[in-house]
Amino acid sequence: MNLLEKEALIREKAEEFEQASPETVIRWAVETFPKITFACSFGAEDVVLVDMLQKISPKTDIFYLDTDFHFKETYETRDRMVERYGLKFVRVSPLLTPEAQAAEYGDELWKRDANACCNIRKVEPLTRILGQYDAWITGIRRDQAPTRANAKKVEYDVKFGLVKFNPIASWTSEDVWNYIRENNVIYNPLHDQNYPSIGCEYCTRKVMPGEDPRAGRWAGQEKTECGLHK
């Protein structure tokens, strides 16, 4: 399938999938693109998709970007999911250790240049791992941020050069939590402590009542995305 044929198919399926269930989207994705992977951050949306994948295609690769700066609760959530499902997450690490990054760029780069830190610890590793696949699945939702408002359930990811599936793009936060409760899905306990969106420990704070759900990410900076999706 050449690029033009692939783009035509994506446009057709984006319209068809708009009213489809996440499971329908996932099933078609894994059947159509054998070289597909799921990017898991262990947030609420992603643990839902892990649960769905284990029911539909348990052999599909699932990776996570280990920035070395995650909350301990995030690593504990990973370990609990490994035990529950018997799966093996693919760990993708930055080329620089935290110590090497500090030696080259100075201590606490995230305070001085959060974009540079994200590029080193997230974007470059993601680019590296996605180069091994033809398609990827993400847990982004349209109402998470203005930058995600136009996300289709299937689209061509120009930045990384592969097909991108967003099976729960049309879901609300309530939809996510209903699935978690109804299916007894493991989730990060930080969600119960006013952390609706969880990133690296140094760049994530609690969200106060009335604040936007992503206000706790890179608080005080003109930054809303780490560069993985925009």
Side-chain angles (χ1 to χ4, degrees):
M1 187 185 303
N2 61 40
L3 183 57
L4 288 177
E5 292 172 332
K6 190 177 293 185
E7 289 177 340
L9 179 62
I10 289 169
R11 286 194 297 270
E12 174 190 333
K13 288 297 178 180
E15 184 174 347
E16 177 184 331
F17 287 151
E18 188 52 36
Q19 303 303 320
S21 69
E23 291 89 347
T24 297
V25 177
I26 292 170
R27 192 169 290 108
W28 187 83
V30 299
E31 290 174 355
T32 307
F33 297 94
K35 290 179 64 177
I36 191 170
T37 186
F38 169 50
C40 181
S41 69
F42 304 106
E45 290 79 10
D46 289 355
V47 297
V48 163
L49 289 171
V50 168
D51 188 75
M52 290 181 180
L53 267 172
Q54 294 314 292
K55 295 171 180 175
I56 296 170
S57 180
K59 293 186 178 180
T60 293
D61 288 348
I62 303 176
F63 75 89
Y64 70 101
L65 301 176
D66 190 351
T67 64
D68 299 302
F69 296 150
H70 290 308
F71 287 91
K72 68 178 181 61
E73 290 87 350
T74 300
Y75 290 114
E76 289 167 357
T77 300
R78 174 202 61 190
D79 294 343
R80 290 166 60 213
M81 297 190 80
V82 167
E83 184 176 355
R84 163 76 66 86
Y85 299 108
L87 56 78
K88 183 177 181 180
F89 291 105
V90 177
R91 177 176 179 263
V92 183
S93 300
L95 296 177
L96 295 178
T97 64
E99 294 76 18
Q101 178 174 304
E104 186 168 342
Y105 296 95
D107 291 334
E108 300 182 328
L109 176 61
W110 53 89
K111 287 185 177 180
R112 293 177 285 103
D113 192 340
N115 285 327
C117 191
C118 283
N119 283 335
I120 294 167
R121 313 213 71 76
K122 292 184 177 182
V123 180
E124 188 282 327
L126 180 66
T127 304
R128 193 173 354 115
I129 186 71
L130 290 185
Q132 302 174 29
Y133 296 93
D134 296 325
W136 68 312
I137 301 169
T138 86
I140 68 173
R141 295 186 295 104
R142 293 170 188 153
D143 69 358
Q144 287 174 320
T147 51
R148 302 180 180 189
N150 297 316
K152 301 287 192 296
K153 291 188 179 179
V154 55
E155 54 194 6
Y156 188 74
D157 191 329
V158 177
K159 181 170 185 175
F160 296 107
L162 73 174
V163 182
K164 181 178 182 180
F165 290 90
N166 308 307
I168 60 172
S170 62
W171 274 22
T172 64
S173 178
E174 184 177 0
D175 292 327
V176 172
W177 285 102
N178 282 341
Y179 185 96
I180 288 173
R181 288 188 289 266
E182 291 168 7
N183 294 274
N184 191 31
V185 177
I186 291 167
Y187 66 88
N188 194 322
L190 288 175
H191 288 308
D192 294 330
Q193 301 172 39
N194 298 320
Y195 287 90
S197 179
I198 304 167
C200 293
E201 184 172 10
Y202 299 122
C203 296
T204 308
R205 65 161 174 81
K206 291 183 178 182
V207 171
M208 298 298 105
E211 285 188 317
D212 182 273
R214 287 180 68 83
R217 304 291 298 276
W218 307 287
Q221 301 187 48
E222 293 296 320
K223 181 175 171 64
T224 57
E225 294 280 0
C226 54
L228 304 187
H229 300 295
K230 286 292 179 180

